[in-house]
Amino acid sequence: MLSPCRSLAIRCAKRTGKQRYPSEKKKLRRVNETLLQNDIKNRTEGFWRLSKLRVPAHKDPGKDFIGVSLPLLEAIAKVLEFPVAAMLPQEAFSIVRKSFDARKVLKEPQFVYTVDMDVKKLLILEPRTWDFIYRLEPKLGVIEYMPKEDVPADLIRILHDCKQIHNGFKLEERQDTHRKDSNKLPLLKRPKIAVIGSGPSGLFASLVLGELGAEVTLIERGQAVEQRGRDIGALVVRRVLQSESNFCFGEGGAGTWSDGKLVTRIGRNSDSVQAVMKTLVQFGAPQNILVDGKPHLGTDRLVPLLRNFRQHLKELGVDIKFGTRLNDLIVENKQVLGVKVCDARHGPGYDDKKLSYDAVVLAVGHSARDVYPMLLEHNVDLLPKDFAVGLRIEHPQELINGIQYPSLATEVYEGRGRIPVADYKVVKYFSEENDGASSGSDDLIRSCYSFCMCPGGQVVLTSTNPSELCINGMSFSRRASRWANAALVVTVSSNDFDSFQSYGPLAGVEFQREFERRAAIMGGGNFVVPVQAVADFLENKLSVTSLPPSSYRLGVQASNLHELFPCHITQALQHAILKIDKELPGFISQEALLHGVETRTSSPVQILRHADTYESTSLKGLYPIGEGAGYAGGIISAAVDGMYCGFAVAKSLSLYQGDIELVLGKAQKNTGFVKY
């Protein structure tokens, strides 16, 4: 049932750029004064981190070069006030970050670097730099001194160090500990832990627990990447949907057949994020993901990486069960004692197997909708959570290149040139008059933003049910496709689920399903996607001219997408597109095509857990993590959540005695609501 239309007013986006309020300027001055007062005891050693070093795009060797070039040395020499850049030894500098800045406010696009300078090495190789280093003063966010180089380790090395430092007590001592507490495990028995789901959170939880000595079983309803790739091929070529092995389910989770973005909002430079990134490199990711300002892998690189990850888990003794679906939890006295599973090819209740475990880590993705009703049957605390829904817009990639940097568009060369394939990230805010149905008298604030932008990508089907239609975008590592696509989505909350309140905390799930069913009907079935030219969508009319071509391979059908959503969501999308076109002239194009429908931006549900132990607030022994539990949004944040949970579970079972926050820092309080 469609909601009545509400009037929308466009609000200004949050203030960005270098302009600061007087109070901010005063605070920044105080911080800089503090830095200056902190005397650097020995200027002949240590490291200086030099940030915001800018190299014009026409001088830089290009996006794939992560060494120290002469133009970069010139930028460094300018900061040091050193007269001859060519005299600076390249060996004294290491690249920490490299990003591309093509904002219109600049005279020309630039590569922006963060570099660490090794003082001791620099003085040995070029002693004449001493006077210039001596005069160097800290400046917050631009020039910062470090007594020693900050080199975060990968997770495997961290785990090995933790075992040596914190778990140095002998096996007999741990057995004595278990013997003293009747609630602990019997003598000589390793804790048995089930990890449900092999997405990023499940994989990293399994890695931590396996390395720390637990007997881990990794249960995945989908297939390993080799078979999963064949199943996806059958879907794309022959329209054969395997309900348990597809774009959403299988080894690596939904992100495997997506763009493989490694961007995150939880702190790119934090030790926890760096540990995850370096672990990915250990398993086969290229080194440049540690430097790239917008790192991504692409499906073609994720597949071999996951094979290596799987092999390492097997060497640790992790038992991996693919094609195995969780049907139920075994619960007694509000304590999880195990799980009921079956062959994923069969329905629930068919040949169920009961498996006993000391703990169950629930790391399912947000498309595992059958898990939520099962949890409710066990009175697990669930809350509805905000998310976003909308449409996926597609343009020719050359058009986006030309909009973002017209002078350099010809140097992209389908991802093989010096200049990165152009992308965009936009957000617009709208105030919506409160109709009185929700509490409070203030206007509702919605945002419409681009989500999962895939430059050089394609639109793909992410349905897990033939009667429901939803889509996403994916790219390979080179982003060489001639298409660019991104979701344009509008935030929704429990206020929007009024007609689904009978579903309780699962109202958001049913809200998603409603529009997925509508999209399937609009497309005419057989996974055909309803589409509409952007200009026609803005004018609320059915496309009457020939449609622009689409990268979606299962067919498209001209449809009235402006009738798909409640009109306040449609209006927000229309207003946002108009505003985006002012920011990115040419965005409204005869070649732009909208596809329906994008609903699974994040989990519509949050499974409540204790912040410190990661254990469910209502069921002992259950540890909900990752995207499906509502605590992550994207590959990196999910992996970090799984990593911290792994340590928390290990600590509860006496496999780990230390404080992981001393090693990786404080865990971020993630809501699972993501914009990227």
Side-chain angles (χ1 to χ4, degrees):
M1 182 176 179
L2 293 178
S3 303
C5 287
R6 306 162 187 163
S7 61
L8 292 175
I10 299 171
R11 295 171 62 92
C12 294
K14 293 180 180 178
R15 192 168 49 85
T16 60
K18 293 185 177 180
Q19 294 182 354
R20 300 180 186 275
Y21 291 122
S23 59
E24 293 176 314
K25 292 181 180 179
K26 187 175 180 181
K27 182 178 179 181
L28 190 60
R29 279 198 303 270
R30 283 201 303 266
V31 173
N32 280 321
E33 287 170 2
T34 303
L35 287 172
L36 292 171
Q37 290 168 3
N38 292 333
D39 187 34
I40 300 170
K41 296 179 180 178
N42 187 356
R43 286 181 175 265
T44 62
E45 295 182 349
F47 295 81
W48 287 92
R49 175 156 292 182
L50 311 177
S51 303
K52 301 180 182 179
L53 300 170
R54 295 183 173 272
V55 176
H58 73 274
K59 290 185 176 182
D60 194 271
K63 66 180 188 339
D64 296 323
F65 182 80
I66 56 174
V68 179
S69 63
L70 178 58
L72 177 57
L73 288 176
E74 291 172 352
I76 295 170
K78 186 176 180 180
V79 173
L80 298 178
E81 299 181 355
F82 190 75
V84 185
M87 293 175 62
L88 295 174
Q90 295 177 344
E91 299 87 345
F93 305 96
S94 57
I95 310 297
V96 176
R97 189 80 69 248
K98 180 178 183 178
S99 57
F100 189 66
D101 187 353
R103 290 174 299 160
K104 301 295 188 291
V105 296
L106 302 173
K107 291 182 180 179
E108 65 173 311
Q110 301 170 338
F111 284 94
V112 184
Y113 289 83
T114 299
V115 172
D116 280 354
M117 179 175 72
D118 186 331
V119 175
K120 187 174 183 179
K121 187 178 291 186
L122 179 60
L123 291 175
I124 291 173
L125 296 173
E126 181 48 80
R128 285 169 289 188
T129 58
W130 162 246
D131 288 341
F132 302 91
I133 293 173
Y134 184 79
R135 293 197 297 264
L136 203 57
E137 295 294 346
K139 184 178 180 182
L140 184 66
V142 180
I143 306 171
E144 297 176 280
Y145 178 76
M146 303 178 294
K148 59 181 181 179
E149 190 174 17
D150 183 17
V151 184
D154 65 85
L155 180 57
I156 297 172
R157 179 180 166 187
I158 290 171
L159 287 163
H160 289 175
D161 291 344
C162 286
K163 284 188 288 187
Q164 291 177 4
I165 296 171
H166 297 295
N167 289 356
F169 58 92
K170 303 297 183 182
L171 177 62
E172 292 81 5
E173 293 174 349
R174 188 158 68 231
Q175 291 169 354
D176 289 340
T177 303
H178 290 312
R179 200 178 292 121
K180 292 174 183 177
D181 190 339
S182 60
N183 292 325
K184 297 292 182 178
L185 301 173
L187 186 64
L188 297 176
K189 183 179 179 183
R190 292 191 300 160
K192 293 180 64 177
I193 301 170
V195 177
I196 313 297
S198 68
S201 59
L203 288 172
F204 274 81
S206 298
L207 177 59
V208 171
L209 291 164
E211 288 279 2
L212 293 178
E215 185 178 332
V216 180
T217 302
L218 179 56
I219 297 172
E220 168 57 54
R221 69 195 299 165
Q223 295 295 331
V225 286
E226 297 88 352
Q227 180 59 45
R228 187 183 179 191
R230 292 189 284 270
D231 292 336
I232 288 174
L235 171 60
V236 172
V237 175
R238 302 196 305 274
R239 301 177 189 271
V240 178
L241 174 64
Q242 297 292 338
S243 61
E244 304 291 350
S245 180
N246 43 56
F247 280 97
C248 290
F249 297 147
E251 187 175 20
T256 306
W257 264 267
S258 184
D259 188 57
K261 289 180 180 62
L262 303 179
V263 294
T264 178
R265 292 165 61 90
I266 62 172
R268 172 70 189 275
N269 294 321
S270 66
D271 287 342
S272 58
V273 170
Q274 286 295 302
V276 168
M277 298 286 278
K278 291 202 169 187
T279 303
L280 295 178
V281 171
Q282 286 290 314
F283 289 131
Q287 285 280 343
N288 64 3
I289 69 167
L290 303 176
V291 172
D292 195 344
K294 293 182 179 178
H296 93 113
L297 288 171
T299 295
D300 50 325
R301 285 176 172 165
L302 276 166
V303 168
L305 184 154
L306 287 165
R307 287 198 201 103
N308 295 336
F309 207 132
R310 183 205 315 158
Q311 183 59 36
H312 183 81
L313 291 179
K314 286 185 174 181
E315 290 171 359
L316 292 175
V318 175
D319 181 15
I320 305 176
K321 297 181 182 294
F322 291 114
T324 303
R325 184 177 59 241
L326 171 70
N327 284 339
D328 202 358
L329 300 173
I330 301 172
V331 178
E332 287 185 13
N333 299 322
K334 296 185 178 181
Q335 171 85 38
V336 173
L337 300 180
V339 296
K340 293 181 182 179
V341 299
C342 74
D343 189 316
R345 295 171 295 181
H346 303 144
Y350 181 90
D351 195 26
D352 276 1
K353 294 181 180 178
K354 294 184 178 181
L355 305 174
S356 298
Y357 294 101
D358 302 300
V360 174
V361 177
L362 190 65
V364 298
H366 54 59
S367 289
R369 293 168 169 170
D370 54 331
V371 171
Y372 301 133
M374 179 269 290
L375 294 175
L376 286 178
E377 290 179 3
H378 293 291
N379 297 315
V380 174
D381 293 333
L382 304 181
L383 283 179
K385 185 178 70 63
D386 294 357
F387 56 101
V389 297
L391 305 170
R392 186 158 284 266
I393 189 169
E394 186 169 66
H395 298 82
Q397 182 62 56
E398 286 187 359
L399 176 65
I400 301 301
N401 293 342
I403 290 173
Q404 293 293 61
Y405 25 86
S407 63
L408 295 172
T410 57
E411 298 192 47
V412 173
Y413 299 123
E414 295 183 335
R416 291 174 171 80
R418 291 189 316 108
I419 306 303
V421 180
D423 61 5
Y424 56 85
K425 179 180 179 181
V426 291
V427 57
K428 303 299 173 186
Y429 296 90
F430 305 93
S431 63
E432 184 179 297
E433 288 184 4
N434 197 319
D435 59 6
S438 57
S439 60
S441 58
D442 294 338
D443 287 351
L444 301 174
I445 305 299
R446 292 188 191 275
S447 64
C448 180
Y449 59 93
S450 58
F451 171 81
C452 192
M453 198 275 159
C454 294
Q458 58 187 291
V459 179
V460 297
L461 177 76
T462 54
S463 299
T464 53
N465 185 319
S467 66
E468 299 166 355
L469 185 64
C470 59
I471 54 174
N472 192 20
M474 69 163 283
S475 301
F476 292 106
S477 57
R478 275 291 177 187
R479 291 173 163 170
S481 161
R482 62 192 184 102
W483 307 106
N485 68 77
L488 295 179
V489 291
V490 179
T491 52
V492 293
S493 65
S494 55
N495 294 326
D496 298 290
F497 312 150
D498 288 344
S499 58
F500 301 97
Q501 291 307 313
S502 61
Y503 292 93
L506 303 187
V509 176
E510 292 305 314
F511 181 84
Q512 290 176 327
R513 279 179 164 153
E514 171 69 17
F515 299 111
E516 291 174 9
R517 293 187 191 111
R518 290 188 193 183
I521 293 170
M522 277 187 170
N526 214 17
F527 308 120
V528 174
V529 163
V531 298
Q532 190 169 22
V534 168
D536 292 334
F537 177 73
L538 295 174
E539 296 176 11
N540 289 356
K541 69 178 185 180
L542 180 64
S543 303
V544 292
T545 58
S546 60
L547 290 169
S550 168
S551 68
Y552 182 72
R553 295 177 60 182
L554 293 175
V556 297
Q557 173 67 43
S559 306
N560 291 315
L561 293 184
H562 51 273
E563 296 178 356
L564 176 61
F565 291 112
C567 59
H568 60 279
I569 294 178
T570 300
Q571 285 182 359
L573 288 167
Q574 291 171 328
H575 286 309
I577 291 171
L578 291 169
K579 295 296 290 183
I580 293 169
D581 188 66
K582 292 181 179 179
E583 185 177 331
L584 304 173
F587 192 80
I588 298 175
S589 163
Q590 295 299 319
E591 299 173 281
L593 189 65
L594 289 165
H595 302 65
V597 61
E598 184 105 13
T599 54
R600 304 184 190 186
T601 53
S602 67
S603 174
V605 172
Q606 188 169 66
I607 307 170
L608 297 187
R609 71 186 187 190
H610 294 291
D612 52 346
T613 65
Y614 288 72
E615 192 172 33
S616 164
T617 57
S618 49
L619 204 57
K620 291 182 178 180
L622 180 68
Y623 297 84
I625 61 171
E627 290 211 33
Y631 293 97
I635 291 173
I636 296 299
S637 61
V640 168
D641 198 50
M643 179 172 62
Y644 276 101
C645 176
F647 279 103
V649 176
K651 194 164 187 176
S652 71
L653 296 173
S654 300
L655 293 171
Y656 176 70
Q657 302 299 315
D659 184 353
I660 190 55
E661 291 188 352
L662 295 178
V663 180
L664 293 176
K666 194 170 181 64
Q668 297 286 331
K669 303 305 179 187
N670 222 343
T671 63
F673 191 80
V674 63
K675 299 178 185 180
Y676 61 84

PDB file of all heavy atoms in Angstrom, residues 181-202:
ATOM      1  N   ASP A 181      36.822 -25.577  37.306  1.00  0.00           N
ATOM      2  CA  ASP A 181      35.508 -24.980  37.031  1.00  0.00           C
ATOM      3  C   ASP A 181      34.649 -26.012  36.317  1.00  0.00           C
ATOM      4  O   ASP A 181      34.942 -26.428  35.205  1.00  0.00           O
ATOM      5  CB  ASP A 181      35.671 -23.727  36.164  1.00  0.00           C
ATOM      6  CG  ASP A 181      34.384 -22.928  36.058  1.00  0.00           C
ATOM      7  OD1 ASP A 181      33.319 -23.515  36.306  1.00  0.00           O
ATOM      8  OD2 ASP A 181      34.468 -21.736  35.717  1.00  0.00           O
ATOM      9  N   SER A 182      33.584 -26.427  36.967  1.00  0.00           N
ATOM     10  CA  SER A 182      32.734 -27.477  36.394  1.00  0.00           C
ATOM     11  C   SER A 182      32.052 -27.028  35.116  1.00  0.00           C
ATOM     12  O   SER A 182      31.596 -27.855  34.326  1.00  0.00           O
ATOM     13  CB  SER A 182      31.663 -27.903  37.409  1.00  0.00           C
ATOM     14  OG  SER A 182      30.846 -26.789  37.754  1.00  0.00           O
ATOM     15  N   ASN A 183      31.947 -25.704  34.892  1.00  0.00           N
ATOM     16  CA  ASN A 183      31.309 -25.212  33.672  1.00  0.00           C
ATOM     17  C   ASN A 183      32.259 -25.262  32.484  1.00  0.00           C
ATOM     18  O   ASN A 183      31.838 -25.088  31.348  1.00  0.00           O
ATOM     19  CB  ASN A 183      30.821 -23.770  33.854  1.00  0.00           C
ATOM     20  CG  ASN A 183      29.673 -23.701  34.841  1.00  0.00           C
ATOM     21  OD1 ASN A 183      28.853 -24.603  34.892  1.00  0.00           O
ATOM     22  ND2 ASN A 183      29.627 -22.620  35.618  1.00  0.00           N
ATOM     23  N   LYS A 184      33.533 -25.479  32.746  1.00  0.00           N
ATOM     24  CA  LYS A 184      34.503 -25.503  31.664  1.00  0.00           C
ATOM     25  C   LYS A 184      34.509 -26.873  31.001  1.00  0.00           C
ATOM     26  O   LYS A 184      33.806 -27.798  31.402  1.00  0.00           O
ATOM     27  CB  LYS A 184      35.901 -25.160  32.191  1.00  0.00           C
ATOM     28  CG  LYS A 184      36.003 -23.748  32.758  1.00  0.00           C
ATOM     29  CD  LYS A 184      35.854 -22.709  31.666  1.00  0.00           C
ATOM     30  CE  LYS A 184      36.010 -21.305  32.243  1.00  0.00           C
ATOM     31  NZ  LYS A 184      35.910 -20.283  31.213  1.00  0.00           N
ATOM     32  N   LEU A 185      35.334 -27.000  29.973  1.00  0.00           N
ATOM     33  CA  LEU A 185      35.331 -28.214  29.182  1.00  0.00           C
ATOM     34  C   LEU A 185      36.136 -29.315  29.863  1.00  0.00           C
ATOM     35  O   LEU A 185      37.018 -29.051  30.673  1.00  0.00           O
ATOM     36  CB  LEU A 185      35.918 -27.918  27.813  1.00  0.00           C
ATOM     37  CG  LEU A 185      35.143 -26.837  27.048  1.00  0.00           C
ATOM     38  CD1 LEU A 185      35.882 -26.468  25.779  1.00  0.00           C
ATOM     39  CD2 LEU A 185      33.756 -27.344  26.717  1.00  0.00           C
ATOM     40  N   PRO A 186      35.871 -30.565  29.504  1.00  0.00           N
ATOM     41  CA  PRO A 186      36.591 -31.684  30.110  1.00  0.00           C
ATOM     42  C   PRO A 186      38.077 -31.649  29.771  1.00  0.00           C
ATOM     43  O   PRO A 186      38.504 -30.970  28.840  1.00  0.00           O
ATOM     44  CB  PRO A 186      35.919 -32.909  29.472  1.00  0.00           C
ATOM     45  CG  PRO A 186      34.603 -32.425  28.978  1.00  0.00           C
ATOM     46  CD  PRO A 186      34.801 -30.997  28.616  1.00  0.00           C
ATOM     47  N   LEU A 187      38.832 -32.428  30.529  1.00  0.00           N
ATOM     48  CA  LEU A 187      40.275 -32.531  30.368  1.00  0.00           C
ATOM     49  C   LEU A 187      40.633 -32.946  28.944  1.00  0.00           C
ATOM     50  O   LEU A 187      39.989 -33.803  28.348  1.00  0.00           O
ATOM     51  CB  LEU A 187      40.818 -33.559  31.370  1.00  0.00           C
ATOM     52  CG  LEU A 187      42.324 -33.739  31.474  1.00  0.00           C
ATOM     53  CD1 LEU A 187      42.970 -32.468  31.977  1.00  0.00           C
ATOM     54  CD2 LEU A 187      42.641 -34.905  32.395  1.00  0.00           C
ATOM     55  N   LEU A 188      41.666 -32.303  28.380  1.00  0.00           N
ATOM     56  CA  LEU A 188      42.239 -32.609  27.079  1.00  0.00           C
ATOM     57  C   LEU A 188      41.327 -32.278  25.905  1.00  0.00           C
ATOM     58  O   LEU A 188      41.661 -32.584  24.768  1.00  0.00           O
ATOM     59  CB  LEU A 188      42.631 -34.093  26.999  1.00  0.00           C
ATOM     60  CG  LEU A 188      43.722 -34.556  27.977  1.00  0.00           C
ATOM     61  CD1 LEU A 188      43.929 -36.049  27.861  1.00  0.00           C
ATOM     62  CD2 LEU A 188      45.022 -33.816  27.729  1.00  0.00           C
ATOM     63  N   LYS A 189      40.199 -31.662  26.158  1.00  0.00           N
ATOM     64  CA  LYS A 189      39.267 -31.365  25.071  1.00  0.00           C
ATOM     65  C   LYS A 189      39.391 -29.905  24.646  1.00  0.00           C
ATOM     66  O   LYS A 189      39.235 -29.000  25.447  1.00  0.00           O
ATOM     67  CB  LYS A 189      37.834 -31.646  25.504  1.00  0.00           C
ATOM     68  CG  LYS A 189      36.821 -31.437  24.394  1.00  0.00           C
ATOM     69  CD  LYS A 189      35.413 -31.758  24.865  1.00  0.00           C
ATOM     70  CE  LYS A 189      34.397 -31.511  23.753  1.00  0.00           C
ATOM     71  NZ  LYS A 189      33.019 -31.758  24.210  1.00  0.00           N
ATOM     72  N   ARG A 190      39.682 -29.711  23.360  1.00  0.00           N
ATOM     73  CA  ARG A 190      39.716 -28.345  22.840  1.00  0.00           C
ATOM     74  C   ARG A 190      38.291 -27.830  22.678  1.00  0.00           C
ATOM     75  O   ARG A 190      37.379 -28.589  22.340  1.00  0.00           O
ATOM     76  CB  ARG A 190      40.416 -28.319  21.488  1.00  0.00           C
ATOM     77  CG  ARG A 190      41.893 -28.613  21.537  1.00  0.00           C
ATOM     78  CD  ARG A 190      42.533 -28.289  20.192  1.00  0.00           C
ATOM     79  NE  ARG A 190      41.962 -29.078  19.104  1.00  0.00           N
ATOM     80  CZ  ARG A 190      42.035 -28.759  17.817  1.00  0.00           C
ATOM     81  NH1 ARG A 190      42.629 -27.635  17.463  1.00  0.00           N
ATOM     82  NH2 ARG A 190      41.512 -29.537  16.905  1.00  0.00           N
ATOM     83  N   PRO A 191      38.068 -26.540  22.898  1.00  0.00           N
ATOM     84  CA  PRO A 191      36.728 -25.992  22.691  1.00  0.00           C
ATOM     85  C   PRO A 191      36.282 -26.195  21.245  1.00  0.00           C
ATOM     86  O   PRO A 191      37.052 -25.986  20.303  1.00  0.00           O
ATOM     87  CB  PRO A 191      36.892 -24.513  23.018  1.00  0.00           C
ATOM     88  CG  PRO A 191      38.138 -24.418  23.833  1.00  0.00           C
ATOM     89  CD  PRO A 191      39.021 -25.517  23.377  1.00  0.00           C
ATOM     90  N   LYS A 192      35.038 -26.600  21.075  1.00  0.00           N
ATOM     91  CA  LYS A 192      34.460 -26.801  19.743  1.00  0.00           C
ATOM     92  C   LYS A 192      33.577 -25.599  19.411  1.00  0.00           C
ATOM     93  O   LYS A 192      32.656 -25.284  20.158  1.00  0.00           O
ATOM     94  CB  LYS A 192      33.648 -28.094  19.695  1.00  0.00           C
ATOM     95  CG  LYS A 192      34.472 -29.353  19.846  1.00  0.00           C
ATOM     96  CD  LYS A 192      33.590 -30.600  19.789  1.00  0.00           C
ATOM     97  CE  LYS A 192      32.915 -30.741  18.436  1.00  0.00           C
ATOM     98  NZ  LYS A 192      32.108 -31.991  18.353  1.00  0.00           N
ATOM     99  N   ILE A 193      33.861 -24.962  18.282  1.00  0.00           N
ATOM    100  CA  ILE A 193      33.149 -23.745  17.909  1.00  0.00           C
ATOM    101  C   ILE A 193      32.658 -23.874  16.473  1.00  0.00           C
ATOM    102  O   ILE A 193      33.417 -24.268  15.578  1.00  0.00           O
ATOM    103  CB  ILE A 193      34.065 -22.508  18.031  1.00  0.00           C
ATOM    104  CG1 ILE A 193      34.579 -22.385  19.478  1.00  0.00           C
ATOM    105  CG2 ILE A 193      33.331 -21.242  17.619  1.00  0.00           C
ATOM    106  CD1 ILE A 193      35.668 -21.364  19.647  1.00  0.00           C
ATOM    107  N   ALA A 194      31.399 -23.540  16.267  1.00  0.00           N
ATOM    108  CA  ALA A 194      30.836 -23.482  14.917  1.00  0.00           C
ATOM    109  C   ALA A 194      30.803 -22.032  14.464  1.00  0.00           C
ATOM    110  O   ALA A 194      30.354 -21.154  15.200  1.00  0.00           O
ATOM    111  CB  ALA A 194      29.430 -24.075  14.890  1.00  0.00           C
ATOM    112  N   VAL A 195      31.279 -21.788  13.266  1.00  0.00           N
ATOM    113  CA  VAL A 195      31.170 -20.471  12.636  1.00  0.00           C
ATOM    114  C   VAL A 195      30.229 -20.633  11.449  1.00  0.00           C
ATOM    115  O   VAL A 195      30.509 -21.415  10.534  1.00  0.00           O
ATOM    116  CB  VAL A 195      32.537 -19.932  12.179  1.00  0.00           C
ATOM    117  CG1 VAL A 195      32.371 -18.592  11.475  1.00  0.00           C
ATOM    118  CG2 VAL A 195      33.480 -19.793  13.370  1.00  0.00           C
ATOM    119  N   ILE A 196      29.123 -19.919  11.476  1.00  0.00           N
ATOM    120  CA  ILE A 196      28.104 -20.052  10.440  1.00  0.00           C
ATOM    121  C   ILE A 196      28.273 -18.921   9.433  1.00  0.00           C
ATOM    122  O   ILE A 196      28.006 -17.762   9.729  1.00  0.00           O
ATOM    123  CB  ILE A 196      26.675 -20.011  11.030  1.00  0.00           C
ATOM    124  CG1 ILE A 196      26.563 -20.929  12.251  1.00  0.00           C
ATOM    125  CG2 ILE A 196      25.650 -20.362   9.971  1.00  0.00           C
ATOM    126  CD1 ILE A 196      26.797 -22.390  11.967  1.00  0.00           C
ATOM    127  N   GLY A 197      28.742 -19.252   8.247  1.00  0.00           N
ATOM    128  CA  GLY A 197      28.929 -18.255   7.203  1.00  0.00           C
ATOM    129  C   GLY A 197      30.391 -18.014   6.901  1.00  0.00           C
ATOM    130  O   GLY A 197      31.189 -17.785   7.820  1.00  0.00           O
ATOM    131  N   SER A 198      30.747 -18.049   5.607  1.00  0.00           N
ATOM    132  CA  SER A 198      32.155 -17.877   5.229  1.00  0.00           C
ATOM    133  C   SER A 198      32.394 -16.555   4.512  1.00  0.00           C
ATOM    134  O   SER A 198      33.246 -16.455   3.633  1.00  0.00           O
ATOM    135  CB  SER A 198      32.613 -19.038   4.329  1.00  0.00           C
ATOM    136  OG  SER A 198      31.955 -18.984   3.067  1.00  0.00           O
ATOM    137  N   GLY A 199      31.624 -15.534   4.889  1.00  0.00           N
ATOM    138  CA  GLY A 199      31.934 -14.184   4.427  1.00  0.00           C
ATOM    139  C   GLY A 199      33.120 -13.637   5.195  1.00  0.00           C
ATOM    140  O   GLY A 199      33.770 -14.360   5.975  1.00  0.00           O
ATOM    141  N   PRO A 200      33.457 -12.361   5.024  1.00  0.00           N
ATOM    142  CA  PRO A 200      34.644 -11.800   5.698  1.00  0.00           C
ATOM    143  C   PRO A 200      34.626 -11.965   7.206  1.00  0.00           C
ATOM    144  O   PRO A 200      35.656 -12.303   7.809  1.00  0.00           O
ATOM    145  CB  PRO A 200      34.594 -10.316   5.308  1.00  0.00           C
ATOM    146  CG  PRO A 200      33.823 -10.284   4.040  1.00  0.00           C
ATOM    147  CD  PRO A 200      32.814 -11.381   4.135  1.00  0.00           C
ATOM    148  N   SER A 201      33.477 -11.737   7.856  1.00  0.00           N
ATOM    149  CA  SER A 201      33.441 -11.856   9.320  1.00  0.00           C
ATOM    150  C   SER A 201      33.651 -13.304   9.748  1.00  0.00           C
ATOM    151  O   SER A 201      34.387 -13.576  10.702  1.00  0.00           O
ATOM    152  CB  SER A 201      32.120 -11.310   9.876  1.00  0.00           C
ATOM    153  OG  SER A 201      31.011 -12.006   9.348  1.00  0.00           O
ATOM    154  N   GLY A 202      33.026 -14.247   9.048  1.00  0.00           N
ATOM    155  CA  GLY A 202      33.194 -15.652   9.398  1.00  0.00           C
ATOM    156  C   GLY A 202      34.596 -16.153   9.152  1.00  0.00           C
ATOM    157  O   GLY A 202      35.164 -16.913   9.955  1.00  0.00           O
TER     158      GLY A 202
END
